[in-house]
Amino acid sequence: MKHIKEFIFKLSIIGKVSFFIICFVLLIALLGENAAVHPAKIPSASALLPPSSEHWLGTDDLGIDLWGQICYGARMSVIVGVSTAVLAGLGGGLLGLISGYHGGKMDRWIMAVTDMMIALPDLPLMIVLGAFFGPSVKNIILVLSLFSWTAPARIIRSKVIALKEEKYIKAAESYGASFWYLVWYHFIPETFPLMAVSFIRLTSRAITMEASLSFLGLGDPTSKSWGLILHHAMNFKGIYFTPYWKWWVLSPLTAILLIVGAFAFMIKEIERML
């Protein structure tokens, strides 16, 4: 708790606001529908109601409360973002450790695959793979992880190449320290700040990409994610014939922009402190 207070105290005003937004979204994600007065999957009022004290963001064309959908969608966005960051971060980080420490042919092969993945246009391929594997949260996480591991792999590789030339690493190797011993007791502690920044960046990217795929109709139709809410709003034929359409569109769009912007400012704050 003391370290958290010190971290918050060092943040700028924008950093504190970003930290509050991230914590607020995480809290809503944990609570899910319990953070809303009305359910997120069944109608609770008339269709296309304006914002009111009972329905804070109004309702959609089926009479489903928009605030309830935003709360439920926060959980889906956080699950996709964190899961993708964990899979891509651990996988990319491990490949970066192996590539940077062993070098030689293994390093060349891993970096060749990394460069190839970076050169590929990720969004079009994600669309193709998302359509091929089918719209489900699990498939979206796997597809996003497949195109997100390259950044942590290159970052960790560069750090390990520099670390393995340090005298204490050479001394540990002379005493018979194995690769995994060095990873656990030396490389992970030294690369943890970089991994933390990569984790936040991957989470933000995954939330954005999931919203993009869902907006294009490739997301899980039962997830009520923010991108899927926006997809339904933009595909409602009579949306422009009601004065309240903007709430249906702006609600998920604002949620996406807020969390992605908060992550971006938080990354800048952490990099400034390192």
Side-chain angles (χ1 to χ4, degrees):
M1 185 64 68
K2 179 181 178 181
H3 296 295
I4 295 176
K5 290 181 178 179
E6 291 178 354
F7 172 74
I8 296 174
F9 180 76
K10 292 179 181 178
L11 293 174
S12 64
I13 296 177
I14 296 178
K16 288 182 173 67
V17 173
S18 301
F19 182 79
F20 171 78
I21 292 173
I22 293 172
C23 291
F24 181 70
V25 172
L26 290 176
L27 178 62
I28 291 177
L30 290 173
L31 295 175
E33 286 187 276
N34 295 323
V37 179
H38 302 284
K41 292 188 176 182
I42 58 175
S44 57
S46 301
L48 298 173
L49 288 179
S52 64
S53 58
E54 185 176 359
H55 299 279
W56 297 349
L57 297 176
T59 60
D60 63 8
D61 61 323
L62 299 177
I64 303 176
D65 183 67
L66 283 174
W67 172 247
Q69 294 184 55
I70 292 296
C71 293
Y72 191 85
R75 173 174 292 180
M76 299 308 302
S77 295
V78 169
I79 288 174
V80 171
V82 173
S83 300
T84 301
V86 170
L87 287 176
L90 291 179
L94 180 60
L95 287 174
L97 287 169
I98 295 173
S99 176
Y101 182 77
H102 291 290
K105 291 184 178 179
M106 186 175 295
D107 178 41
R108 289 195 294 271
W109 277 103
I110 293 176
M111 285 299 101
V113 175
T114 303
D115 293 338
M116 181 186 69
M117 293 298 295
I118 293 175
L120 292 174
D122 51 0
L123 184 57
L125 286 175
M126 286 183 190
I127 293 172
V128 173
L129 292 176
F132 179 78
F133 289 115
S136 71
V137 175
K138 184 188 298 184
N139 291 339
I140 288 176
I141 292 172
L142 291 176
V143 170
L144 292 176
S145 300
L146 180 63
F147 289 92
S148 301
W149 61 270
T150 55
R154 293 182 68 89
I155 292 171
I156 299 304
R157 172 184 175 272
S158 299
K159 184 66 175 179
V160 170
I161 289 175
L163 285 174
K164 72 177 184 179
E165 300 300 327
E166 295 290 338
K167 292 181 179 179
Y168 66 92
I169 298 293
K170 296 292 186 182
E173 290 175 334
S174 66
Y175 281 102
S178 66
F179 169 70
W180 295 110
Y181 178 91
L182 295 174
V183 167
W184 185 254
Y185 290 100
H186 296 291
F187 292 152
I188 289 180
E190 291 290 340
T191 59
F192 180 77
L194 295 175
M195 286 299 296
V197 175
S198 294
F199 180 85
I200 297 173
R201 186 176 282 112
L202 287 172
T203 302
S204 175
R205 182 178 185 273
I207 291 174
T208 305
M209 298 307 294
E210 185 278 331
S212 301
L213 293 175
S214 296
F215 177 72
L216 294 173
L218 298 174
D220 187 347
T222 63
S223 66
K224 287 292 183 183
S225 69
W226 293 338
L228 195 64
I229 299 171
L230 194 59
H231 169 76
H232 289 322
M234 297 304 295
N235 283 276
F236 176 56
K237 293 182 180 179
I239 190 170
Y240 299 109
F241 297 98
T242 172
Y244 308 120
W245 67 270
K246 56 188 176 184
W247 297 103
W248 194 5
V249 174
L250 290 177
S251 298
L253 184 61
T254 302
I256 295 169
L257 292 176
L258 279 176
I259 189 62
V260 171
F263 274 123
F265 283 116
M266 187 55 60
I267 290 170
K268 292 294 184 182
E269 290 291 309
I270 295 175
E271 290 177 343
R272 179 177 60 83
M273 295 179 186
L274 293 179

